[in-house]
Amino acid sequence: MSTATLIIDLDAICANWRALDGQTACETAAVIKADAYGLGVAKVGPALAAAGARQFFVAVAEEGVILRRALGPGPTINVFSGHMAGDADMIREGNLTPMINSVDQLLAHVESLPGHAFGLQLDTGMNRLGMEPSEWAALRDIALAQRPTLIMSHLACADDPSHPMNAAQLKNFADMTEGVEVPRSLAATGGILLAPDYHFDMTRPGVGLYGGLPFLDATPVVSLDVPVIQIRDVAPGESVGYANAFVARNPTRVATVSAGYADGLIRAMGAKATMTHEGRKLPVIGRVSMDLITVDITALKGTPEHLQLLGLHQSVDTVAGFAGTIGYEILTSLGARYDRVYLTA
Ligand SMILES: *Cc1c(COP(=O)(O)O)cnc(C)c1O
């Protein structure tokens, strides 16, 4: 077998949820949009529910329907995109709670599904989703009369505790929701770590559950072991890979491993990346191909059967750094070809 093995530690995800929950006095939801950040919502959802999560968030109604099948009735499934045209059947049948983000969505929701639960999303400065302060001021009494289950907003700069945007958004959120008796939520992973005033009644961590920054103390969740297909000795002056991107200066042992950009190991990682073997870092050489990566294993004595890209020695954020991106993008790009193994005690 030459497909790489992606090991996903469900217990570590639950441990991260508990650790983030332990940092606040309020309820902790779980954000499992984009197939649980690429790790598999059908496994991650039930594991987190068993760990005690009662509130979940997905991006779109279609994801909510899939999650409802995995969770069964009971937990609340909130949908960030709100109530979009054509969503009413999914929202009703999946018992989903749309996070309404405009007057138009509110009207469509109460008209098509009168009495069906919904939340409200306010824009406190990010200018991405949610009602603007003026829109909210005009609609506030009408919206509150329909008894929303939650009022939420999202922080743009929470991964940088020193950024003045955090306090500005906190103030806007507090001002816009003053005197409102509905549960409130502002913080994702970054906001949990900022300070207790950001916590309100519910937090919404995503990336921290999956072992990513800014949750520095996260338990690692994923490891990716890639089979070595072939090993060869390359003489000085010989090149490796497309465009002769690597030319050997010294005698070099090269391992060709079985994963590439079609598996989410993005091409931009290129020359800065390393893989590891028993903790030893080994440079990726040449270009990342669709299905193959070449690695300089001259430093190794034996003949490795696998090299590791993700694991204890290199986190998703380390690998993201190779490509100038963020851990979120590495996680959600992990490919469909891997042999996925879920660990749980
Ligand atoms: C993705 C998302 C989250 C989770 O954010 P993390 O940074 O992954 O913790 C929370 N709230 C909203 C609105 C989101 O879009």
Side-chain angles (χ1 to χ4, degrees), residues 21-36:
D21 185 44
Q23 305 229 355
T24 72
C26 66
E27 172 149 32
T28 303
V31 178
I32 58 176
K33 62 193 180 189
D35 196 27

Side-chain angles (χ1 to χ4, degrees), residues 31 33 37 57 80 121 128-129 152-154 186-190 204-208 210 213-214 328:
V31 178
K33 62 193 180 189
Y37 288 47
F57 286 85
F80 287 134
Q121 222 168 153
R128 193 178 68 168
L129 280 182
M152 59 163 281
S153 187
H154 193 48
L186 179 62
T189 303
R204 310 182 309 270
V207 76
Y210 310 108
L213 290 177
Y328 298 71

Side-chain angles (χ1 to χ4, degrees), residues 6-230:
L6 180 67
I7 299 173
I8 298 162
D9 187 341
L10 293 173
D11 293 341
I13 295 175
C14 294
N16 288 331
W17 182 81
R18 277 190 219 97
L20 290 167
D21 185 44
Q23 305 229 355
T24 72
C26 66
E27 172 149 32
T28 303
V31 178
I32 58 176
K33 62 193 180 189
D35 196 27
Y37 288 47
L39 300 185
V41 75
K43 299 282 189 190
V44 173
L48 283 167
R54 280 292 159 268
Q55 294 273 345
F56 291 85
F57 286 85
V58 294
V60 297
E62 286 80 355
E63 291 178 348
V65 169
I66 293 168
L67 178 58
R68 178 60 75 201
R69 267 182 229 136
L71 291 181
T76 303
I77 300 177
N78 304 290
V79 181
F80 287 134
S81 64
H83 188 142
M84 296 286 286
D87 281 356
D89 287 348
M90 284 186 282
I91 289 170
R92 188 184 58 242
E93 281 159 32
N95 191 16
L96 310 178
T97 307
M99 297 290 112
I100 300 292
N101 51 58
S102 68
V103 178
D104 288 350
Q105 281 205 354
L106 184 66
L107 295 177
H109 182 72
V110 296
E111 209 172 273
S112 61
L113 297 173
H116 187 103
F118 69 96
L120 292 167
Q121 222 168 153
L122 304 181
D123 176 41
T124 52
M126 189 177 186
N127 283 309
R128 193 178 68 168
L129 280 182
M131 297 185 212
E132 302 264 328
S134 58
E135 193 181 8
W136 172 235
L139 193 74
R140 184 177 152 132
D141 292 342
I142 301 166
L144 292 176
Q146 301 289 331
R147 301 178 158 276
T149 55
L150 184 71
I151 298 184
M152 59 163 281
S153 187
H154 193 48
L155 297 167
C157 304
D159 59 345
D160 176 4
S162 68
H163 204 295
M165 184 71 166
N166 297 319
Q169 286 194 267
L170 176 62
K171 180 170 188 316
N172 288 345
F173 191 60
D175 289 350
M176 288 169 86
T177 58
E178 208 197 313
V180 169
E181 306 249 309
V182 177
R184 294 180 288 177
S185 175
L186 179 62
T189 303
I192 293 172
L193 304 171
L194 284 178
D197 11 334
Y198 290 84
H199 297 165
F200 292 91
D201 302 297
M202 187 199 296
T203 61
R204 310 182 309 270
V207 76
L209 307 177
Y210 310 108
L213 290 177
F215 185 28
L216 263 177
D217 301 328
T219 305
V221 168
V222 288
S223 58
L224 181 62
D225 291 305
V226 188
V228 175
I229 303 178
Q230 210 185 357

